[in-house]
Amino acid sequence: MQIEKIKQLQKLIDDAKNIVVVTGAGISTASGIPDIRSKDGAANNKDLIKKYKYDYETIVSHSFFMYHTEDFYRYYKEQMIFKNAKPNVAHEYLAKLEKRKNVMIITQNIDGLHTVAGSKNVVEFHGSTQRNTCMDCGEKYTLEQIMAQDGVPHCTKCGGIIKPDVILFEEGIDSMAIHDSVHATENADLLIVVGSSLVVYPAAGILNYFRGNNLVIINRDPTPYDAYAKIVIRDDIREVFKNLI
């Protein structure tokens, strides 16, 4: 445990006025959600490719959803939804921090655990499995509601197909999400990265807009931005946040 670095981080948090937190897969693996791009993750798992007959990026694409909707939902429900996953100590800490500090969370994750934990100021770059929309009439549905239907979920009002509010391959990230993230990062005096390799864009590119001196990276593995950070902590994310006040 890197206690001295955690103490330094605590002081930076206490002194900061505007905090931006960028989170990636590492914050959710602590809640039991596997990292898609890890060695054994869905993107690299040959057994899954054999089982579903397509690779990850093909299945999780807009065109596949439109033309192979049943196969998409089979994969989506079996491999991308983790009903028992709950916010961990890191999610909970950030939600509490928002009550006393100006905090924006920019997340690459689609699990929605930041909002479940209680965070309000969250930009979900890739959307969220917690929200779902009828493609015909726009009726909104919860994750529980679409999981309760077998196969492809249909709107109970108009019968249209329901689509998860997640950004699939071939789809663009919401322009307002990028605008809000850039604006917050430009005005932040503390930028904390939690559980991100910082190689997936455009989320990784957000760091280029940071004008402050206090960049902190908490990640298991090295990142391309480590040399620019004031503090780099390579430790268990849960243990780091357990030791923050």
Side-chain angles (χ1 to χ4, degrees), residues 8-224:
Q8 293 173 34
L9 172 57
Q10 181 71 69
K11 186 174 190 318
L12 293 181
I13 292 172
D14 291 342
D15 293 344
K17 293 181 179 179
N18 298 304
I19 303 172
V20 168
V21 183
V22 176
T23 68
I27 197 172
S28 292
T29 54
S31 291
I33 298 176
D35 182 351
I36 288 170
R37 299 193 180 278
S38 66
K39 181 181 177 182
D40 300 316
N44 301 304
N45 192 312
K46 293 181 180 179
D47 291 336
L48 288 180
I49 295 173
K50 183 178 179 181
K51 178 180 178 180
Y52 294 98
K53 299 183 174 57
Y54 297 93
D55 62 41
Y56 169 76
E57 292 195 7
T58 298
I59 294 177
V60 191
S61 68
H62 178 81
S63 55
F64 193 88
F65 174 84
M66 296 300 294
Y67 295 108
H68 304 275
T69 313
E70 189 169 344
D71 289 335
F72 169 88
Y73 263 112
R74 177 177 168 236
Y75 182 90
Y76 181 77
K77 290 182 176 182
E78 293 176 0
Q79 300 298 327
M80 296 180 67
I81 301 300
F82 300 88
K83 293 187 290 185
N84 296 323
K86 300 197 180 326
N88 60 58
V89 63
H91 296 103
E92 292 167 352
Y93 175 90
L94 293 173
K96 291 176 181 176
L97 183 63
E98 191 183 79
K99 295 179 179 178
R100 63 186 180 89
K101 292 281 184 177
N102 183 23
V103 179
M104 171 179 276
I105 296 172
I106 303 167
T107 187
Q108 298 166 276
N109 302 330
I110 62 171
D111 50 55
L113 291 182
H114 284 297
T115 54
V116 173
S119 290
K120 306 296 184 187
N121 196 16
V122 182
V123 174
E124 294 165 319
F125 256 21
H126 300 142
S128 172
T129 60
Q130 302 292 329
R131 301 186 303 272
N132 305 271
T133 305
C134 172
M135 297 175 69
D136 289 345
C137 73
E139 184 71 14
K140 301 294 184 181
Y141 290 87
T142 65
L143 176 59
E144 290 72 20
Q145 287 173 315
I146 71 161
M147 292 299 288
Q149 293 192 38
D150 293 331
V152 178
H154 287 80
C155 179
T156 56
K157 291 194 172 184
C158 75
I161 292 173
I162 299 170
K163 182 183 181 295
D165 288 359
V166 298
I167 304 298
L168 303 176
F169 289 104
E170 303 169 351
E171 296 178 346
I173 291 175
D174 181 72
S175 59
M176 282 305 298
I178 296 175
H179 174 273
D180 292 347
S181 298
V182 168
H183 179 73
T185 303
E186 286 178 331
N187 291 282
D189 49 11
L190 173 59
L191 176 58
I192 306 173
V193 177
V194 183
S196 175
S197 61
L198 296 176
V199 295
V200 178
Y201 285 78
I206 291 296
L207 271 70
N208 296 323
Y209 294 93
F210 182 52
R211 301 290 180 258
N213 297 315
N214 297 328
L215 170 62
V216 178
I217 298 176
I218 307 168
N219 196 53
R220 179 190 62 189
D221 302 316
T223 81

